């Protein structure tokens, strides 16, 4: 009879114990758990705090009593294994009931899990700062929230648990700020997808602070003040720390069990450690990445359950193996869903693995059947057609699409298999061409060179000097928002207007989601043009422009509020635009508004996520009044009042033009400081500010480091002579060979005045539009890659458009 000791329960340990008993009725099985709970639903903890899950007992998958009775397992809770004697096959246990004692074993299964990371940050041990990892953590947080004393909370960390906690605290009526040190939340997703999730959080009232880490915590009585690296401070009654986990393996450091660099247990494909008879599973182990075959650590319940089963099999002489983790995961964000599988671009770049990317934005099911929603999907693959990863976000049908792709990856399928998959279809569930098929079709077109694509991120970094950008959408779409400098030639007019397209230039076409761009590209390519299509189209491009800004203490959701009448009861006409993709909803709105008389109110319901921003821009451009705008169950509901063609703010005359613009021509330090002080001051008063940098002023926006870009001789000379960034600027007076600049910087520091660099960052963070003049850049030989992040490229037309809406226009 074999004796098996299991260290730790939950997913891995409990699965191993149950599987062992099913395979061997006579084995002696002892499970040690240092806490009180051996098997609980980790992933359900935030939803119990948010009260979506009402009953606490539903979180407990197995109790010590139920597991002992059903599986005849000796479950010993409040018993921590503190050391292992490998040579004599014994573990030392500290038990609340029995004190310290030893227990022998024939086989040992290690499932110690991981604990919440708590770095050495000043003030981190404050009782108002909590972590969420287990049932006691959950009870503590819920008790505090249930007290009714929590009006505001800060969640540190934008991973899965952090985002789920932010949502559930918000659902409890708490004002929530989510702080993430990285540029974007949800690390398994690339920035072009995570930014869509960020907007969903923001639109549901979550304040977002990105690319800003915690410097210190300060106790302020009833609140904790979170001091950030940027100098910003946020005060709240509750702080949830969710910045990652570390393996609970410190008790193994004096053994010969092999550990990885970060303390994870090294195992083979049978889940056995380097010590015969000792197995390990769950969050505490290193695994092989199924896609790239490198070592990694993936803390997910599904893999842990499988690993526990495999360890039990091998103890019972069933030679099953674990073939690696691919990190398939899904998260709910209010009514929104985000899911991913395999590797993202960031991982592949770090490993120098070449790849290609395509985007699609199909409907979740047939658009003519009610309730259809757009899914944004991304596929990553290589030249051989191997699928390296996929990501998807949307309101419906996201999880099943990622599950299908995850299955194809696991079975070593290719993008050609995606195209060939025969998936279930009926109008309420899918389309005849399922979104998964569409990804396969597009990827196949790329590999067979029927289409050459450029990703949205690549397009935004592209030097467009020798290119012509063609927007092939309809005129109404173009007018409602387009890439600056793009020429509008609708796809249906391409053949008749082909003489307007310069054959000597590189042509980049885009539409709303990529399909019309593909059609335009096929037409032009066969006519001898060199053409690229922006994969994902304007929908993907525009999503990358989203940057969350603080809404202030008194604002919450983004809905507009109507004060004169209750529009939800008093509207004149209703339009159902659900299932329509852009420009369908806008075209329907225009046609319906045209039929209404002045003063009448239209209620519009649309399912296209882009409609939320589109209708704001359309109403502003057409001078119709947007009374209210809300999201409900993934749909967007707008109430629009038809106006008489004059500006809805005409009663305020020209005083309503309250924006501020300035042309920064100078590259002098003192003038640069003055311009940014004025700009930040105006922004702090709630004004829209545009700063247009031209000629010598471009030096202020240059990166301090040298950037390798291709230039001709004159451009190189200009680049050499111009100051490289704000720290190299000189004073206009009394520069004294640079001493004057150093003196004024010291005086500013001594008198607690923000430096120029801090003023520039504050301007970008507060939403000030910083625009570099394209013409000046061409003359001065400055490329876009040489400018700091956050700078737009624009022309005189853009500046004049902004100046038209301003009542202050400065030339510095």
């Amino acid at each position: 009879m074999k004796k098996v000791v299991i260290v730790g329960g939950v997913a891995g340990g409990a699965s191993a114990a149950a599987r062992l008993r099913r395979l061997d009725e006579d084995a002696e099985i002892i499970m040690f758990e240092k806490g009180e709970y051996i098997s609980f639903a980790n992933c359900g903890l935030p939803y119990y705090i948010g009260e979506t899950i009402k009953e606490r007992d539903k979180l407990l998958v197995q109790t010590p009593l139920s597991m002992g009775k059903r599986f005849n397992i000796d479950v010993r809770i409040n018993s921590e294994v503190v050391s292992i004697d490998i040579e004599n096959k014994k573990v030392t246990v500290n038990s609340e009931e029995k004190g310290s004692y030893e227990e022998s074993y024939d086989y040992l299964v290690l499932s110690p899990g991981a604990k919440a990371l708590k770095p050495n940050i000043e003030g981190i041990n404050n009782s108002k700062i909590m972590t969420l990892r287990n049932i006691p953590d959950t009870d503590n947080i819920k008790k505090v929230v249930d007290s009714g004393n929590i009006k505001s909370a800060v969640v540190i960390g934008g991973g899965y648990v952090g985002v789920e906690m932010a949502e559930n605290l918000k659902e409890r009526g708490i004002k929530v700020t989510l702080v993430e040190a990285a540029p974007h939340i949800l690390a398994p997703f690339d920035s072009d997808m995570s930014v869509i999730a960020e907007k969903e959080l923001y639109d549901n009232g979550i304040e977002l602070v990105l690319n800003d880490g915690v410097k210190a915590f300060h106790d302020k009585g009833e609140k904790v003040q979170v001091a950030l690296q940027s100098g910003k401070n946020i005060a709240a009654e509750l702080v949830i720390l969710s910045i990652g986990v570390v393996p609970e393996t410190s008790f193994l450091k004096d053994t010969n069990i092999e550990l990885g660099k970060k303390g994870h247990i090294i195992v083979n494909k049978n889940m056995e450690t380097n010590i015969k008879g000792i197995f390990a599973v769950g969050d505490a182990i290193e695994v092989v990445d199924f896609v790239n075959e490198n070592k990694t650590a993936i803390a997910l319940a599904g893999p842990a359950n499988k690993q526990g089963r495999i360890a039990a099999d091998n103890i019972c002489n069933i030679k099953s193996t674990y073939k690696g983790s691919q990190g398939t995961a899904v998260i709910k964000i209010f009514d929104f869903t985000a899911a991913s599988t395999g590797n993202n671009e960031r991982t592949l770049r770090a490993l120098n693995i070449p790849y290609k990317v395509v985007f699609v934005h199909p409907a979740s099911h047939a658009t003519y059947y009610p309730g259809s929603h757009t899914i944004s999907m991304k596929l990553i693959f290589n030249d051989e057609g191997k699928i390296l990863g996929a990501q998807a976000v949307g309101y419906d049908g996201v999880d099943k699409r990622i599950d299908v792709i995850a299955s194809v990856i696991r079975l070593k399928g290719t993008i050609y298999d995606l195209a060939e998959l025969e998936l279930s279809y009926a109008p309420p569930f899918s389309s005849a061409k399922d979104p998964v098929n569409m990804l396969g079709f597009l990827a196949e077109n790329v590999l067979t060179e029927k289409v050459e694509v450029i990703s949205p991120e690549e397009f935004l970094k592209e030097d467009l000097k020798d290119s012509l950008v063609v927007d092939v959408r309809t005129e109404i779409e173009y007018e409602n928002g387009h890439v600056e400098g793009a020429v509008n030639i609708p796809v249906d007019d391409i053949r008749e207007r082909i003489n307007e397209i310069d054959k000597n230039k590189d042509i980049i076409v885009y539409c709303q989601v990529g399909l019309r761009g593909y059609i335009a590209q096929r037409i032009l390519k066969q006519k001898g043009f060199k053409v690229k299509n922006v994969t994902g189209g304007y929908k993907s491009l525009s999503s990358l422009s989203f940057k969350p800004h603080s809404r202030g203490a008194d604002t919450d959701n983004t809905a507009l509020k109507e004060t004169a009448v209750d529009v939800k009861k008093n509207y004149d006409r209703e339009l159902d635009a659900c299932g329509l993709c852009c420009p369908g909803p806008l075209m329907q709105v225009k046609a319906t508004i045209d039929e209404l008389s002045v003063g009448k109110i239209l209620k519009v319901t649309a399912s296209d996520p882009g409609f939320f921003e589109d209708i704001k821009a359309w109403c502003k451009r057409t001078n119709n009044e947007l009374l209210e705008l809300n999201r409900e169950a993934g749909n967007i509901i707008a109430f629009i009042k038809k106006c008489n063609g004059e500006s809805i703010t005409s009663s305020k005359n020209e005083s309503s033009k309250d924006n501020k613009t300035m042309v920064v021509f100078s590259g002098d330090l003192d003038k640069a400081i003055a311009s940014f002080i004025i700009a930040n001051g105006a922004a702090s008063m709630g004004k829209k500010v545009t700063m247009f940098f031209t000629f010598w002023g471009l030096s202020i926006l240059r990166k301090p480091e040298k950037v390798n870009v291709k230039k001709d001789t004159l451009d190189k000379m200009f680049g050499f002579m111009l100051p490289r960034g704000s720290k190299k600027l000189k004073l206009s007076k009394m520069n004294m060979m640079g001493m004057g600049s150093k003196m004024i910087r010291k005086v500013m520091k001594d008198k607690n005045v923000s430096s120029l660099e801090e003023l520039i960052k504050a301007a970008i963070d507060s939403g000030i539009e910083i625009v570099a003049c394209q013409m000046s850049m061409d003359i001065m030989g400055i490329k876009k890659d040489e400018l700091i992040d956050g700078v737009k490229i624009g022309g005189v037309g853009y500046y004049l458009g902004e100046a038209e809406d301003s009542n202050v226009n400065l030339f510095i």
Side-chain angles (χ1 to χ4, degrees):
M1 183 178 73
K2 63 175 73 76
K3 181 178 181 180
V4 183
V5 166
I6 300 173
V7 180
V10 198
S15 294
R19 176 69 169 174
L20 276 167
R21 178 56 72 219
R22 291 194 297 269
L23 294 175
D24 189 342
E25 183 62 24
D26 297 323
E28 181 183 359
I29 305 171
I30 303 172
M31 178 190 291
F32 291 108
E33 172 55 52
K34 71 175 182 178
E36 186 179 348
Y37 304 93
I38 60 164
S39 184
F40 58 90
N42 305 64
C43 301
L45 302 182
Y47 300 101
Y48 173 62
I49 294 169
E51 297 194 330
T52 299
I53 298 172
K54 303 288 185 184
E55 297 173 28
R56 181 179 181 276
D57 287 348
K58 289 186 175 179
L59 297 172
L60 306 178
V61 181
Q62 287 279 5
T63 66
L65 182 63
S66 65
M67 191 152 193
K69 186 174 180 64
R70 174 166 295 179
F71 295 104
N72 188 25
I73 292 170
D74 183 359
V75 179
R76 303 181 191 178
I77 60 172
N78 299 316
S79 300
E80 182 178 6
V81 173
V82 294
S83 65
I84 301 173
D85 181 349
I86 292 173
E87 188 174 341
N88 296 303
K89 291 193 172 184
K90 292 180 180 179
V91 297
T92 301
V93 184
N94 281 346
S95 167
E96 283 188 11
E97 183 181 346
K98 299 180 181 179
S100 180
Y101 67 95
E102 291 183 337
E103 188 69 53
S104 63
Y105 65 84
D106 297 318
Y107 296 94
L108 181 63
V109 179
L110 302 174
S111 180
K115 62 182 178 181
L117 178 63
K118 285 188 74 173
N120 187 24
I121 298 174
E122 178 187 347
I124 199 168
N125 293 319
N126 191 306
S127 61
K128 295 185 261 314
I129 301 173
M130 301 182 174
T131 59
L132 179 64
R133 188 67 188 167
N134 52 39
I135 294 289
D137 291 343
T138 308
D139 291 338
N140 291 337
I141 295 172
K142 194 168 191 300
K143 181 180 178 182
V144 171
V145 173
D146 288 348
S147 71
N149 298 323
I150 306 299
K151 306 301 179 188
S152 59
V154 176
V155 178
I156 311 295
Y160 286 98
V161 175
V163 170
E164 289 169 348
M165 276 305 304
E167 175 190 343
N168 281 280
L169 290 173
K170 179 66 182 172
E171 296 284 22
R172 294 295 303 272
I174 296 170
K175 178 177 170 58
V176 181
T177 300
L178 178 65
V179 176
E180 171 55 57
H184 295 283
I185 64 170
L186 298 176
F189 294 82
D190 290 310
S191 58
D192 43 32
M193 300 298 283
S194 60
V195 73
I196 306 174
E198 288 163 6
K199 189 173 188 307
E200 190 66 22
L201 285 170
Y202 185 80
D203 287 346
N204 280 278
I206 304 292
E207 291 290 318
L208 290 175
V209 179
L210 305 175
N211 207 22
D212 203 351
V214 177
K215 185 177 182 181
F217 298 101
H218 302 294
D219 196 310
K220 297 293 181 181
E222 294 182 353
K223 293 187 175 183
V224 178
Q225 186 184 72
V226 184
L228 302 180
Q229 297 289 348
S230 64
K232 182 175 182 177
N233 293 300
I234 309 168
E237 291 90 356
L238 174 65
V239 174
I240 303 294
L241 195 65
S242 181
I243 57 176
V245 296
V246 290
E248 288 261 38
T249 56
S250 57
F251 71 104
L252 301 176
K253 288 182 179 177
D254 295 329
T255 70
N256 291 324
I257 295 173
E258 186 180 359
L259 302 178
K261 292 180 180 178
K262 295 183 178 180
H264 294 88
I265 304 167
I266 306 296
V267 295
N268 62 21
K269 62 183 180 180
N270 305 121
M271 311 313 300
E272 192 170 22
T273 69
N274 60 309
I275 308 297
K276 187 173 177 58
I278 299 180
F279 297 78
V281 299
D283 295 354
I285 71 167
E286 266 193 8
V287 295
V288 172
D289 186 302
F290 185 81
V291 174
N292 63 52
E293 299 181 353
N294 286 279
K295 289 285 188 178
T296 188
I298 298 176
L300 291 171
N305 275 293
K306 297 178 183 69
Q307 293 156 12
R309 179 186 178 93
I310 290 168
D313 282 354
N314 283 282
I315 289 171
C316 295
N317 294 317
I318 298 171
K319 296 301 179 185
S320 59
T321 60
Y322 188 69
K323 297 178 177 64
S325 294
Q326 60 195 77
T328 306
V330 65
I331 184 172
K332 170 186 174 294
I333 306 173
F334 295 95
D335 294 318
F336 196 71
T337 305
S340 67
T341 188
N343 290 177
N344 58 22
E345 289 191 69
R346 194 182 313 108
T347 299
L348 295 169
R349 282 195 298 264
L351 296 171
N352 292 316
I353 297 174
Y355 64 89
K356 297 182 183 297
V357 174
V358 292
F359 294 83
V360 295
H361 301 281
S364 58
H365 62 247
T367 55
Y368 56 82
Y369 187 89
S372 172
H373 292 279
T374 300
I375 306 176
S376 294
M377 301 177 69
K378 175 177 185 175
L379 186 71
I380 309 172
F381 55 99
N382 66 14
D383 286 334
E384 287 73 47
K386 178 183 177 181
I387 304 167
L388 304 176
Q391 299 159 41
V393 296
Y395 292 96
D396 180 48
V398 169
D399 51 342
K400 73 175 183 178
R401 269 61 189 226
I402 287 296
D403 284 345
V404 168
I405 298 172
S407 300
V408 174
I409 291 175
R410 179 61 60 167
L411 297 173
K412 299 187 181 298
T414 67
I415 59 103
Y416 302 104
D417 294 306
L418 296 184
E420 293 177 9
L421 283 176
E422 185 176 329
L423 301 171
S424 60
Y425 159 60
F429 304 104
S430 185
S431 298
K433 289 188 289 188
D434 189 86
V436 171
N437 297 137
M438 292 183 183
L439 276 175
F441 295 152
L442 181 51
E444 184 178 350
N445 283 340
V446 170
L447 292 186
T448 56
E449 298 184 349
K450 292 183 180 68
V451 62
E452 184 177 357
V453 296
I454 180 170
S455 75
E457 286 192 302
E458 289 172 336
F459 175 81
L460 293 174
K461 295 175 183 177
E462 186 88 351
D463 183 357
L464 301 175
K465 187 171 65 175
D466 297 320
S467 301
L468 176 66
V469 181
V470 182
D471 185 323
V472 299
R473 300 175 300 161
T474 62
E475 183 179 351
I476 189 173
E477 292 173 277
Y478 179 83
E479 290 180 352
N480 212 46
H482 58 267
V483 172
E484 189 173 341
V487 176
N488 182 214
I489 305 178
V491 64
D492 294 340
D493 300 340
I494 283 280
R495 293 179 180 88
E496 290 74 24
R497 296 175 59 184
I498 203 164
N499 61 326
E500 298 177 32
I501 303 174
D502 188 346
K503 222 170 195 178
N504 296 316
K505 291 199 169 189
D506 294 331
I507 311 302
I508 300 177
V509 297
Y510 72 88
C511 63
Q512 187 65 17
V513 298
L515 178 58
R516 284 173 289 173
Y518 168 58
I519 295 169
Q521 183 186 43
R522 292 300 301 159
I523 294 170
L524 292 172
K525 187 175 181 179
Q526 293 177 75
K527 297 291 185 181
F529 290 85
K530 184 179 179 183
V531 195
K532 290 181 182 177
N533 180 29
V534 180
T535 182
Y538 189 73
K539 191 175 188 73
S540 290
L541 281 171
S542 58
S543 69
L544 283 168
S545 67
F546 170 72
K547 283 191 176 182
H549 299 296
S550 176
R551 287 176 284 238
D554 299 325
T555 48
D556 190 5
N557 292 323
T558 55
L560 301 167
K561 299 300 178 185
E562 212 285 303
T563 56
V565 294
D566 183 355
V567 292
K568 291 183 179 178
K569 296 179 181 177
N570 297 282
Y571 55 88
D572 301 287
R573 187 142 171 204
E574 186 169 2
L575 170 64
D576 183 358
C578 290
L580 297 177
C581 296
C582 186
L586 284 182
M587 294 175 70
Q588 294 274 2
V589 168
K590 182 183 183 305
T592 309
I593 284 286
D594 287 346
E595 295 173 2
L596 295 179
S597 56
V598 173
K600 297 297 184 182
I601 297 173
L602 172 67
K603 176 186 177 182
V604 186
T605 305
S607 57
D608 180 8
F611 184 72
F612 193 83
E613 298 299 333
D614 286 349
I615 196 61
K616 293 180 189 176
W618 185 86
C619 286
K620 182 178 179 181
R621 183 179 62 80
T622 58
N623 296 321
N624 289 293
E625 186 175 0
L626 183 58
L627 300 176
E628 185 169 316
L629 182 63
N630 289 299
R631 294 177 185 270
E632 291 183 13
N635 286 331
I636 296 145
I637 300 174
F639 292 87
I640 305 160
K641 181 178 179 181
K642 180 170 180 177
C643 295
N644 59 9
E646 297 179 5
S647 172
I648 60 175
T649 57
S650 59
S651 61
K652 300 179 184 178
N653 59 55
E654 287 303 309
S655 66
S656 64
K657 294 187 175 183
D658 201 23
N659 298 342
K660 316 297 175 190
T661 55
M662 62 177 70
V663 179
V664 184
F665 178 83
S666 172
D668 295 329
L669 175 61
D670 44 343
K671 295 174 184 176
I673 292 169
S675 65
F676 276 98
I677 288 175
I678 295 168
N680 280 302
S684 69
M685 296 169 65
K687 313 300 181 186
K688 182 184 178 186
V689 182
T690 301
M691 303 177 74
F692 191 75
F693 290 78
T694 182
F695 285 95
W696 315 113
L698 292 170
S699 299
I700 303 168
L701 305 181
R702 294 185 75 190
K703 293 177 179 176
E705 70 275 9
K706 185 176 181 181
V707 179
N708 290 323
V709 290
K710 189 176 181 181
K711 293 186 178 184
D712 60 29
T713 304
L714 277 176
D715 287 350
K716 287 179 181 178
M717 289 176 64
F718 267 114
F720 177 76
M721 291 185 291
L722 288 171
R724 185 176 287 124
S726 58
K727 291 186 178 180
K728 299 290 186 181
L729 301 182
K730 299 176 181 180
L731 286 178
S732 60
K733 305 289 184 184
M734 299 187 297
N735 188 56
M736 298 180 292
M737 300 182 67
M739 286 301 299
S741 300
K742 292 179 181 178
M743 288 169 63
I744 199 168
R745 284 182 178 273
K746 183 180 187 305
V747 170
M748 290 173 67
K749 183 177 181 182
D750 292 344
K751 295 189 176 182
N752 204 28
V753 178
S754 297
S755 68
L756 175 56
E757 293 70 39
E758 291 169 335
L759 289 168
I760 293 172
K761 186 178 188 304
I764 294 172
D765 290 344
S766 62
I768 292 173
E769 288 195 342
I770 298 178
V771 184
C773 174
Q774 180 68 70
M775 180 270 292
S776 298
M777 288 175 63
D778 292 342
I779 293 173
M780 309 297 281
I782 295 177
K783 306 296 184 183
K784 183 178 178 181
D785 288 345
E786 295 181 89
L787 301 182
I788 59 176
D789 294 336
V791 176
K792 292 184 177 179
I793 309 299
V796 174
Y798 180 82
Y799 159 71
L800 291 174
E802 294 298 308
E804 184 69 25
D805 291 329
S806 300
N807 61 0
V808 172
N809 186 32
L810 303 177
F811 188 90
I812 299 176

